[in-house]
């Protein structure tokens, strides 16, 4: 992430990157229970363990994926587009990673690790068999350098691991991380894409390393990169883990939703992201295709520009929230396959506050609030959307109609994605539709990013700040008692619900469509699918 204006995270200068993960977490798995799919034999709300088992070998050695967004960069420290992040995780390994269900931390480059009794020193022991794609060994120096590089990047993800005082290599196979205070989400943070381990000498020797054919210690390496049109990944034969059954992954950039559908129907590609919601039933009815609605950490939200009148008045924001019909929005945008959002934490994740109710439309309350704020006849405002995003456009229609009922005249302004992001970022150009997806399984990322004014994203570009909320977020980071952490995070979620610096709208699944000839394609709640590429197969078609 992840946030993005409809489609992807809210994107900040390179700093407000996005998404979430922790060890032993089980809450996210429950999301699978609520994302029921549309009718049709080929559609499913997919449990990570329930997909068709891939064959022992792949009849076709190439998987073809059509994504809707161009590649922004393959530098893991600088990624801002979800699609690029999810590709990165096939190229670079990290010290630790999340398991395929996106619910716990498991080894990656580090085979084992331990922490000191005071919780301030963590020691990671590297797998001695780990190699980069050029055949050179992965060393602790590479690991320490890579993580230090990422956390030092201006506008990067360093704000997530501010308690870290040093990262060093005590010997070629051992990485030592020292902290000034306990940091509950440390393992989750280290599993984040931004902290992928890079070959230090190769990166330092070539300033264009990431724009050519970058490589790491993951199961695939880049053999062709044209950021606006195509990426080719080839199996890394130096990979120490299980070898993928396919040898090549070809990723094409196809920005038009309907064009991606036509390519899948014609067998030109094997997997497409974000098939239009209104075509899910049609695609599901085709016995040659299937649609998966994977449980996700996606949260759609309405960005509110607090730097602009009249939105600096909390009563105006509360009036907007009280006017919105989230159920109608879900029906039109997602055909009922999403869940109306009650908080800005992803659905069912660790410390998600189930006790906070999802808002229901109350036009009388909304009108009263506007009158109290001095706008009995409403006002005019813009709503920024991403052109070509069918779900976002549907939500915009509902928002425009709902707000018209309380006198707010909304003009929908559609832009291509990067322009929409730029216009929303200032917090002065009207309302905006965006969404967030988590990169780690701990709530620290979304809490810091979305509710701490000093957390790197200007609270989702709302520029809202509250000292008590920032303190609760920082206290939760150093609190290792999960019951106490839960209480702090519930306080944070309740404050955001009351103050409405932005308005959560929906918990939407990750939508993918694929050919029936593809077996084993799976997406975790964090959006990545790198684990499934190790075992999936592609049949003839």
């Amino acid at each position: 992430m992840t946030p993005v204006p409809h489609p992807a995270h809210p994107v900040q200068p390179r700093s407000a990157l996005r998404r979430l993960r922790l060890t032993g977490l089980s809450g996210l798995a429950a999301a699978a229970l609520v994302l029921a799919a549309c009718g049709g034999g080929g559609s499913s709300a997919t449990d990570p363990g329930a997909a068709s088992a891939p064959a022992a070998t792949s009849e076709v050695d190439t998987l073809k994926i059509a994504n809707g967004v161009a590649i922004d960069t393959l530098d893991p420290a600088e990624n801002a587009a979800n699609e690029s992040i999810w590709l990165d995780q096939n190229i670079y390994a990290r010290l630790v990673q999340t398991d395929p269900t996106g619910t716990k931390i498991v080894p990656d480059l580090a085979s084992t690790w331990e922490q000191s009794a005071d919780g301030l020193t963590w020691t990671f022991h590297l797998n001695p068999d780990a190699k980069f794609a050029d055949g050179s060994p992965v060393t602790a120096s590479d690991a320490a350098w890579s993580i230090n590089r990422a956390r030092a990047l201006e506008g990067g993800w360093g704000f997530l691991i501010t308690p870290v005082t040093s990262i060093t290599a005590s010997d070629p196979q051992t990485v030592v991380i020292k902290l000034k205070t306990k940091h509950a989400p440390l393992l989750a943070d280290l599993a984040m894409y931004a902290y992928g381990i890079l070959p230090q000498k190769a990166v330092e020797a070539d300033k264009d390393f990431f724009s050519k054919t970058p490589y790491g210690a993951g199961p695939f390496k880049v053999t062709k990169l044209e950021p606006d049109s195509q990426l080719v990944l080839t199996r890394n034969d130096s990979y120490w883990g299980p070898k993928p059954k396919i040898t090549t992954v070809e990723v094409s950039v196809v920005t038009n939703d309907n064009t991606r559908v036509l390519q899948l129907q014609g067998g030109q590609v094997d997997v497409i992201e974000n098939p239009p919601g209104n075509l899910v039933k049609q695609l599901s009815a085709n016995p040659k295709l299937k649609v998966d609605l994977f449980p996700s950490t996606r949260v759609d939200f309405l960005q509110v520009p607090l730097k602009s009148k009249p939105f600096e008045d909390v009563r105006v924001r509360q009036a907007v929230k009280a006017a919105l019909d989230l159920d109608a929005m879900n029906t039109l945008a997602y055909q009922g396959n999403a869940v109306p959002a009650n908080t800005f934490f992803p659905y069912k994740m660790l410390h998600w506050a189930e006790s906070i109710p999802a808002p229901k439309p109350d036009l009388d309350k909304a009108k009263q609030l506007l009158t109290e704020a001095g706008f009995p006849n409403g006002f005019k405002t813009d709503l920024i959307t991403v052109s070509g995003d069918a779900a976002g456009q549907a939500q915009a229609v509902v928002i425009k109609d709902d707000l018209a009922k309380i006198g707010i005249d909304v003009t929908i302004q559609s832009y291509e994605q990067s322009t929409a992001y730029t216009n929303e970022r200032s917090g002065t150009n009207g309302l905006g539709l965006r969404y967030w997806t988590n990169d780690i399984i701990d709530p620290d990322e979304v809490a810091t990013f979305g509710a701490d004014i000093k957390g790197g994203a200007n609270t989702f570009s709302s520029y809202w700040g509250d000292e008590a909320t920032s303190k609760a977020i920082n206290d939760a980071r150093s609190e290792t008692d999960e019951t106490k952490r839960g209480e702090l995070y519930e306080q944070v979620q309740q404050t955001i619900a009351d103050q409405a610096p932005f308005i959560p709208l929906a918990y939407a699944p990750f939508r993918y469509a694929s050919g029936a000839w593809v077996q084993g394609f799976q997406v975790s709640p964090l959006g990545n699918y790198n684990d499934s590429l190790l075992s999936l197969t592609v049949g003839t078609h």
Side-chain angles (χ1 to χ4, degrees):
M1 224 207 260
T2 334
V4 297
H6 263 275
H9 306 133
V11 174
Q12 301 302 323
R14 248 311 180 222
S15 80
L17 313 176
R18 45 208 140 120
R19 249 185 303 238
L20 271 245
R21 312 180 184 183
L22 186 139
T23 184
L25 173 62
S26 61
L28 272 175
L33 301 178
V34 300
L35 294 173
C38 291
S43 178
S44 65
T46 307
D47 184 313
S52 342
T57 58
S58 184
E59 295 175 355
V60 177
D61 63 8
T62 299
L63 175 72
K64 297 181 179 181
I65 301 174
N67 279 342
V69 179
I71 297 164
D72 63 336
T73 177
L74 291 180
D75 182 343
E78 297 225 31
N79 279 137
N82 276 336
E83 287 77 3
S84 300
I85 290 165
W86 298 332
L87 291 170
D88 269 1
Q89 295 187 48
N90 298 283
I91 304 167
Y92 311 109
R94 298 161 297 284
L95 288 180
V96 293
Q97 62 180 327
T98 54
D99 76 338
T101 67
T103 60
K104 63 181 179 180
I105 297 298
V106 296
D108 197 2
L109 289 172
S111 302
T112 61
W113 57 87
E114 65 267 0
Q115 61 176 311
S116 60
D118 62 7
L120 300 182
T121 301
W122 288 73
T123 305
F124 296 84
H125 306 282
L126 300 188
N127 183 332
D129 296 326
K131 292 181 172 60
F132 290 113
D134 67 348
S136 62
V138 176
T139 69
S141 293
D142 290 309
W145 176 83
S146 300
I147 300 171
N148 280 321
R149 172 183 180 270
R151 76 185 181 109
L153 179 71
E154 183 179 357
W157 285 102
F159 67 87
L160 287 181
I161 55 173
T162 50
V164 172
T165 58
S166 67
I167 305 171
T168 58
S170 61
D171 64 49
Q173 296 297 310
T174 308
V175 178
V176 178
I177 298 179
K178 292 187 177 294
L179 310 172
K180 59 185 175 184
T181 59
K182 292 181 180 180
H183 189 54
L186 180 64
L187 288 177
D189 292 337
L190 294 175
M192 188 185 196
Y193 69 88
Y195 297 115
I197 306 308
L198 307 169
Q200 178 182 356
K201 291 180 180 178
V203 174
E204 290 184 325
D206 186 354
K207 65 181 177 60
D208 297 319
F209 179 83
F210 296 105
S211 60
K212 294 178 179 176
T213 52
Y215 62 88
F220 290 91
K221 59 184 179 181
V222 178
T223 50
K224 183 177 182 180
L225 172 59
E226 296 174 355
D228 292 327
S229 59
Q230 186 182 41
L231 171 73
V232 178
L233 302 177
T234 303
R235 186 167 60 198
N236 171 17
D237 290 330
S238 296
Y239 184 58
W240 75 98
K243 300 295 188 290
K245 294 177 182 177
I246 52 175
T247 60
T248 307
V249 180
E250 293 181 1
V251 181
S252 56
V253 177
V254 182
T255 57
N256 185 278
D257 289 354
N258 292 322
T259 301
R260 292 198 301 278
V261 169
L262 290 173
Q263 289 185 348
L264 178 63
Q265 290 173 325
Q268 297 163 263
V269 297
D270 304 310
V271 177
I272 64 172
E273 71 163 352
N274 293 330
N278 61 348
L279 295 181
V280 166
K281 286 186 178 181
Q282 175 186 327
L283 293 172
S284 300
N286 186 335
K288 295 181 180 180
L289 306 176
K290 56 186 174 182
V291 175
D292 288 301
L293 304 178
F294 294 104
S296 84
T297 55
R298 172 170 169 154
V299 183
D300 294 0
F301 64 93
L302 181 65
Q303 179 182 317
V304 182
L306 271 67
K307 292 172 72 175
S308 301
K309 292 183 179 297
F311 295 107
E312 81 282 7
D313 191 321
V314 67
R315 294 169 296 186
V316 172
R317 304 196 299 270
Q318 290 169 342
V320 170
K321 182 177 178 179
L324 298 180
D325 187 338
L326 302 192
D327 289 317
M329 210 176 294
N330 179 21
T331 298
L332 188 61
Y334 293 112
Q335 293 66 53
N337 289 313
V339 174
N342 66 326
T343 91
F344 74 107
F345 274 32
Y347 187 68
K348 297 287 187 180
M349 83 164 303
L350 182 67
H351 301 314
W352 168 72
E354 184 175 9
S355 61
I356 297 174
K360 295 292 184 182
D362 186 337
L363 297 182
D364 290 338
K365 175 183 177 182
K367 291 175 181 177
Q368 179 183 344
L369 286 165
L370 279 186
T371 299
E372 291 174 0
F375 297 93
N377 299 314
F379 54 88
K380 294 183 178 181
T381 189
D382 289 341
L383 172 59
I384 298 170
T385 68
V386 173
S387 55
D389 172 31
Q393 294 298 326
Q395 288 174 322
V397 168
V398 175
I399 291 168
K400 178 179 175 67
D401 289 347
D402 287 347
L403 296 187
K405 296 172 185 176
I406 60 171
I408 300 178
D409 182 6
V410 173
T411 299
I412 298 173
Q413 303 281 3
S414 295
Y415 305 92
E416 58 83 25
Q417 184 169 299
S418 62
T419 303
Y421 291 176
T422 299
N423 289 344
E424 290 176 341
R425 189 180 303 141
S426 68
T428 60
N429 291 320
L431 302 167
L433 280 169
R434 310 183 81 167
Y435 73 81
W436 162 274
T437 55
N438 289 341
D439 301 298
I440 66 173
I441 62 177
D442 190 272
D444 176 60
E445 183 191 19
V446 69
T448 302
F449 208 79
D452 184 356
I453 188 61
K454 298 178 180 179
N458 298 315
T459 50
F460 286 158
S461 298
S462 69
Y463 297 88
W464 174 86
D466 175 68
E467 287 187 11
T469 299
S470 293
K471 182 178 186 304
I473 291 168
N474 284 286
D475 288 348
R477 302 179 91 192
S478 58
E479 179 57 69
T480 56
D481 183 315
E482 289 300 336
T483 299
K484 294 179 181 178
R485 290 189 87 206
E487 293 169 353
L488 290 165
Y489 284 129
E490 183 166 2
Q491 172 189 328
V492 170
Q493 291 170 81
Q494 186 63 63
T495 300
I496 294 297
D498 294 340
Q499 291 293 312
F502 49 86
I503 302 170
L505 302 175
Y507 300 125
F510 289 130
R511 301 192 311 278
Y512 281 84
S514 60
W517 55 88
V518 178
Q519 300 296 316
F521 181 76
Q522 287 287 314
V523 176
S524 91
L526 303 172
N528 50 297
Y529 46 80
N530 51 300
D531 283 298
S532 75
L533 295 194
L534 295 175
S535 58
L536 69 72
T537 57
V538 182
T540 55
H541 57 283

